[in-house]
Amino acid sequence: MSDQLTHVKSVFHKRFAHLSSAITNRLWLNAHTNYDCDVLLTFPARVDDNVIVSFLEKFLQLEPDVRISIKYHFTTGVYGFYLTFTYERILKGADALQLEKPIKQEFGGGYQIFLFDELEFYQGVEDEDKFFSTQERQSIVLHLLYSMRMNETQLLNGIKFKVDQSLIQRGLEKNLIRQIIPLHNKAQLNHLRETWVWPKNVFKPQPIEDIRQYFGVKIALYFCWLSFYTKALCLPAAYGVYIWYHTGQSQELDDKLFVINSFLNIIWATGFLIFWRRRQAELAYKWNTLDMEQLEETRATYKGELRRSPVTDKYEPYYPVWKRVVFRCLVTIPLLMINLVLVSICIVLIIRFQSWIDRQLKAGRLPSLMSLTELFPKILLALVTTIFDDVYKRVCRWLTDKENYREQRVHDNQMIAKMFACASINSYLGVFYIAFFTHKYMRLSDQLITIFVIKQFWDHVKEAIIPYIVSNTRLSVLIQMSKKEHDRYTEREELNNHLKRILDQWNTSKQTKVIAFNPRDSLPSFETLSLSQAEIECLQPKWQDLYEDSLELVVQFGYIIFLSTLFPLAAFFSLLNNILEIRTDAFKLCMIYQRPFSQRVKDIGHWQKIMEYMIVAAIIINCIFCSIRGVFRRMMPGLPFAAEIFLLVCIEHLLVLFCKTIRSSIESVPYWVRVEKARMEYRRREALKKLECDALHNQSHGNDE
């Protein structure tokens, strides 16, 4: 019998592996590997030919070190510029971006901000293929592209380009450029799919370092946070199951378990945030973002009048603060208030409609219809909250973009604040209304089961499975159609010949710059008809950042600390969901969406502060629940109502003070990180002293001669 089971297991494993491999590679089988480039710039399908020619000429004029390959995408009828730069130019771009790179051991070791004028200090700078990861090169190339500024005023396709205006930014604003995307590395992506998306062991730790090298620090930090939070959920899941199992035996035991559960949740949440804050400091130190400079690059989509910056002394877009304040007062706040009021009214009306349905069913005035009548308001509530969920996310993105913040960090914080405010009403209002006003705890349990089981499962389907099916179906159709669409290319023969002549003339006059170590610069080329991997990537949906994924975790965190006293299995279902969430988010990144440009961050931003405030709110909410459910009155029967309220207020203040004291008394940066930073600084100073002494010795020796 055991041999048969082993055989069945082996066959199932082989078939599953074969199926996952087919799903993973199906759309890439007919694709040629990307060119020797870093990013792809595409133009709209119906853009004027003069726009493509003018952009090519400007590229070659403004950036002589650019390397371009041009390809006509016959599946979509667009032209693509496959772009990179010479290694020397990329090194200078790393200097401008202030990337931190490893220092040779004889100069103190560790990491230091890269300086082009001090190349000899950096470990491995001679190896062009390995000194920068692919995501670092792509970020540098993107920075260099946005740094290309007009040297003269020019009218292009009816749009005026001013002196010192960014060519790329203006082109994107006016839809002369369709998109700029970083291209996947097929070998590295397949490795991540095998070890991360489809691992043989689901509980195997994530390849965080590979994720950071490929997608950047921000995405890697998110998955570290998700993994850390998932592991932390094991504790409340364990005692939650224990409390759920023993609930209902007696009222006295239920009251004691209620108080114990509330207290344990507060302690757990406080400890989780403290340990995560220290963990992210360790990761930031390891990834060289702990001491990031405060000077941030201007966001690519930042708009405004060109003015000379007092910081960089360069012409940069300037947007007056008063315009942002006026927009926030007259547009942002009213729109958000309208959205919140509408959501609140709809949720309350549906809950009251549910109460009316229950009364009518109990009185026999409505047919049961196999419980469909009772389920109708619940289904309606789920539909309404889902619709408003999509609406407020779009509204928040639009409002934050219109507010036009210069720094990416400020933009992120404003987006986080708006999305959390809307999500709080949409997610928590219904359950709090039932708990505080209707006191129908059986209905509340049904509502929470719906949230933690059905809604979380539906979120995975909506975020991963449906987009994957839609995207791959569309791509498969286009790939099949592309075999019959070669005639499109001949329609652009005149433009193709013109682009070839420009590149040929530039190649003839170009003298490639050579630096002291192994350049691999390639001259531009013009490719014609072959389906490429890049064409497939252009048709994939764009990655929308981590706002929504992070918001899901924070809202879930709130459900646990706010309501697990009423539903002890909240942490257990959250744990199961997050185990799947890790693979779902990995699946989205590696299988569905375009590769995002990397971002360097040192923490998770405002989400940390929001969760700290949520703990304070959880203390207040659980004290209110103790009063509403009569826990203290049953535990201390002779206690007057006024004394009960006074006691609860004192307990609430003491718990808040306790949490803040614990949080402030524990260092956010671990001791070993502080020691390592001090040790590295000491070694660098000693190496600098040695270099200065050697220089003085050589100088005095030369004078003696």
Side-chain angles (χ1 to χ4, degrees):
M1 185 68 179
S2 60
D3 294 338
Q4 292 178 350
L5 290 174
T6 304
H7 176 70
V8 170
K9 181 179 178 182
S10 175
V11 171
F12 175 78
H13 177 75
K14 290 180 180 179
R15 292 187 177 182
F16 179 79
H18 177 74
L19 175 63
S20 64
S21 177
I23 293 174
T24 301
N25 298 312
R26 182 170 61 87
L27 291 175
W28 302 82
L29 289 177
N30 297 324
H32 296 287
T33 304
N34 287 330
Y35 299 95
D36 188 13
C37 66
D38 294 300
V39 302
L40 169 62
L41 181 150
T42 62
F43 297 92
R46 300 184 181 277
V47 72
D48 190 84
D49 292 354
N50 293 327
V51 172
I52 301 175
V53 173
S54 299
F55 267 92
L56 176 59
E57 293 175 341
K58 278 297 175 185
F59 273 30
L60 302 180
Q61 177 188 355
L62 298 176
E63 272 291 355
D65 293 326
V66 71
R67 294 293 179 259
I68 304 177
S69 294
I70 303 175
K71 185 175 186 296
Y72 180 70
H73 294 177
F74 49 89
T75 54
T76 53
V78 304
Y79 277 89
F81 284 9
Y82 295 74
L83 300 165
T84 187
F85 288 84
T86 63
Y87 187 45
E88 179 182 4
R89 191 71 183 92
I90 286 178
L91 289 172
K92 293 179 179 178
D95 187 331
L97 276 182
Q98 298 184 336
L99 293 182
E100 293 198 5
K101 301 305 291 183
I103 300 290
K104 294 178 179 178
Q105 289 298 322
E106 58 264 33
F107 301 119
Y111 283 76
Q112 187 68 25
I113 292 176
F114 183 80
L115 297 175
F116 182 78
D117 295 332
E118 300 177 355
L119 290 178
E120 65 276 9
F121 293 147
Y122 296 94
Q123 182 74 37
V125 70
E126 299 85 0
D127 190 345
E128 178 181 352
D129 294 321
K130 296 182 180 179
F131 187 62
F132 294 112
S133 64
T134 56
Q135 53 91 7
E136 286 178 329
R137 287 182 64 96
Q138 289 166 345
S139 297
I140 295 170
V141 170
L142 182 68
H143 169 75
L144 293 175
L145 289 175
Y146 274 97
S147 300
M148 294 168 57
R149 298 185 177 275
M150 298 293 293
N151 55 5
E152 60 181 0
T153 301
Q154 183 175 346
L155 194 66
L156 183 58
N157 204 34
I159 298 171
K160 187 176 182 180
F161 286 74
K162 299 179 181 179
V163 178
D164 281 323
Q165 197 165 34
S166 172
L167 175 68
I168 300 299
Q169 183 174 344
R170 183 69 169 168
L172 286 169
E173 287 177 10
K174 298 302 180 179
N175 296 320
L176 298 180
I177 298 174
R178 183 181 179 184
Q179 61 181 344
I180 301 176
I181 63 171
L183 296 175
H184 277 295
N185 181 290
K186 186 180 290 188
Q188 295 177 8
L189 182 62
N190 286 336
H191 173 71
L192 282 175
R193 287 172 171 175
E194 293 172 1
T195 60
W196 188 30
V197 182
W198 308 105
K200 295 180 180 178
N201 182 3
V202 178
F203 299 99
K204 180 182 178 181
Q206 301 179 83
I208 293 297
E209 188 58 30
D210 292 339
I211 297 169
R212 183 187 71 86
Q213 288 288 340
Y214 194 75
F215 289 112
V217 172
K218 187 173 185 178
I219 290 177
L221 187 64
Y222 163 77
F223 280 98
C224 285
W225 176 34
L226 174 56
S227 177
F228 190 87
Y229 172 54
T230 303
K231 292 175 183 177
L233 281 174
C234 293
L235 180 60
Y239 66 71
V241 171
Y242 177 84
I243 290 172
W244 170 79
Y245 181 78
H246 289 86
T247 299
Q249 297 182 8
S250 67
Q251 186 63 56
E252 181 181 359
L253 179 60
D254 288 353
D255 291 341
K256 291 179 180 179
L257 290 176
F258 186 93
V259 174
I260 292 172
N261 195 8
S262 302
F263 183 74
L264 288 177
N265 285 335
I266 299 303
I267 298 301
W268 167 80
T270 303
F272 161 69
L273 291 185
I274 290 172
F275 285 110
W276 166 248
R277 185 175 60 180
R278 292 169 63 84
R279 176 57 180 159
Q280 75 177 355
E282 293 176 348
L283 293 170
Y285 173 74
K286 180 181 177 182
W287 296 339
N288 311 304
T289 59
L290 184 60
D291 298 318
M292 285 179 60
E293 296 290 337
Q294 294 299 315
L295 180 62
E296 292 189 35
E297 286 289 317
T298 302
R299 289 177 59 245
T301 55
Y302 179 65
K303 305 173 185 177
E305 179 185 354
L306 286 177
R307 289 190 183 183
R308 190 176 293 277
S309 170
V311 178
T312 62
D313 200 34
K314 297 178 182 178
Y315 279 99
E316 294 181 354
Y318 171 76
Y319 188 76
V321 177
W322 66 266
K323 287 187 178 180
R324 185 177 299 115
V325 173
V326 170
F327 183 86
R328 293 188 69 181
C329 293
L330 299 182
V331 181
T332 300
I333 296 177
L335 268 180
L336 290 179
M337 292 301 296
I338 290 171
N339 184 56
L340 296 179
V341 170
L342 283 176
V343 173
S344 303
I345 292 174
C346 290
I347 290 175
V348 171
L349 287 178
I350 292 173
I351 292 174
R352 294 180 69 86
F353 178 56
Q354 175 76 64
S355 300
W356 181 82
I357 290 286
D358 292 343
R359 290 195 300 270
Q360 298 302 314
L361 286 172
K362 189 175 182 179
R365 299 190 185 98
L366 286 176
S368 176
L369 299 178
M370 295 182 297
S371 300
L372 291 178
T373 306
E374 184 181 0
L375 288 175
F376 176 72
K378 297 177 182 178
I379 297 172
L380 183 62
L381 180 61
L383 288 174
V384 168
T385 53
T386 301
I387 292 171
F388 274 110
D389 184 66
D390 293 333
V391 169
Y392 77 69
K393 287 175 182 176
R394 293 176 182 271
V395 170
C396 290
R397 288 184 182 277
W398 181 80
L399 289 173
T400 309
D401 289 339
K402 287 297 182 181
E403 289 173 8
N404 196 27
Y405 294 98
R406 180 183 181 276
E407 295 86 5
Q408 183 64 43
R409 189 173 185 85
V410 178
H411 176 89
D412 290 343
N413 291 339
Q414 291 295 326
M415 177 74 80
I416 289 169
K418 293 183 183 67
M419 294 187 77
F420 180 74
C422 295
S424 297
I425 300 297
N426 200 42
S427 302
Y428 300 137
L429 178 62
V431 290
F432 283 155
Y433 184 84
I434 296 172
F436 289 147
F437 297 101
T438 66
H439 306 297
K440 296 181 178 179
Y441 296 108
M442 289 299 296
R443 184 191 297 176
L444 179 61
S445 297
D446 294 340
Q447 184 72 20
L448 291 173
I449 290 174
T450 302
I451 291 171
F452 281 102
V453 180
I454 300 176
K455 186 177 184 300
Q456 290 188 149
F457 176 77
W458 169 248
D459 287 341
H460 292 302
V461 174
K462 183 179 70 172
E463 293 175 9
I465 298 177
I466 293 177
Y468 178 74
I469 294 173
V470 172
S471 176
N472 285 7
T473 302
R474 179 170 176 263
L475 288 173
S476 299
V477 171
L478 287 172
I479 289 172
Q480 294 300 320
M481 291 176 59
S482 67
K483 299 176 181 179
K484 304 177 182 179
E485 297 295 330
H486 286 70
D487 293 339
R488 291 187 185 182
Y489 179 70
T490 58
E491 299 174 2
R492 314 297 292 271
E493 184 175 356
E494 183 178 350
L495 175 60
N496 298 334
N497 292 333
H498 193 176
L499 294 173
K500 287 180 181 179
R501 285 196 299 271
I502 294 174
L503 288 177
D504 290 341
Q505 292 172 4
W506 188 72
N507 289 342
T508 303
S509 62
K510 176 68 178 174
Q511 294 182 356
T512 305
K513 297 181 179 179
V514 180
I515 50 180
F517 35 81
N518 190 26
R520 61 174 177 83
D521 304 333
S522 58
L523 293 175
S525 62
F526 188 94
E527 297 291 337
T528 55
L529 295 175
S530 59
L531 181 64
S532 69
Q533 172 187 333
E535 289 187 64
I536 297 175
E537 293 182 43
C538 283
L539 298 171
Q540 291 177 318
K542 186 177 181 180
W543 175 257
Q544 292 292 333
D545 213 302
L546 294 166
Y547 301 124
E548 296 180 14
D549 295 315
S550 301
L551 180 64
E552 289 178 11
L553 297 184
V554 173
V555 169
Q556 182 192 89
F557 178 78
Y559 277 124
I560 293 171
I561 61 176
F562 293 156
L563 297 162
S564 62
T565 50
L566 305 177
F567 185 65
L569 293 177
F572 174 75
F573 284 118
S574 298
L575 175 62
L576 298 180
N577 172 79
N578 290 357
I579 293 173
L580 183 60
E581 181 76 23
I582 293 173
R583 306 304 168 187
T584 302
D585 290 344
F587 180 85
K588 291 190 295 184
L589 272 169
C590 295
M591 304 289 293
I592 301 175
Y593 292 98
Q594 294 174 352
R595 183 180 183 178
F597 283 103
S598 65
Q599 296 183 42
R600 298 174 69 243
V601 296
K602 61 181 179 181
D603 53 39
I604 59 174
H606 263 20
W607 297 118
Q608 179 84 18
K609 292 183 178 179
I610 287 175
M611 288 189 290
E612 290 174 359
Y613 292 138
M614 290 173 75
I615 292 177
V616 177
I619 294 173
I620 298 172
I621 289 170
N622 281 280
C623 287
I624 294 174
F625 280 149
C626 284
S627 178
I628 291 175
R629 292 173 64 90
V631 174
F632 275 87
R633 286 192 294 275
R634 286 191 293 269
M635 295 178 71
M636 293 176 282
L639 189 68
F641 179 73
E644 178 190 351
I645 298 300
F646 177 76
L647 179 60
L648 287 174
V649 170
C650 290
I651 292 173
E652 175 262 324
H653 278 65
L654 287 174
L655 285 174
V656 171
L657 180 62
F658 172 76
C659 292
K660 288 190 174 182
T661 302
I662 294 296
R663 191 164 57 240
S664 60
S665 62
I666 298 177
E667 292 284 347
S668 59
V669 179
Y671 174 74
W672 74 265
V673 173
R674 301 197 300 273
V675 170
E676 284 296 320
K677 287 176 62 179
R679 181 182 294 143
M680 197 63 63
E681 186 64 28
Y682 171 76
R683 290 171 58 185
R684 287 174 184 166
R685 289 181 181 179
E686 291 299 312
L688 181 60
K689 288 180 183 179
K690 185 177 182 301
L691 287 174
E692 291 176 348
C693 291
D694 291 343
L696 290 174
H697 177 74
N698 293 334
Q699 183 179 1
S700 61
H701 183 69
N703 292 335
D704 292 340
E705 292 180 352

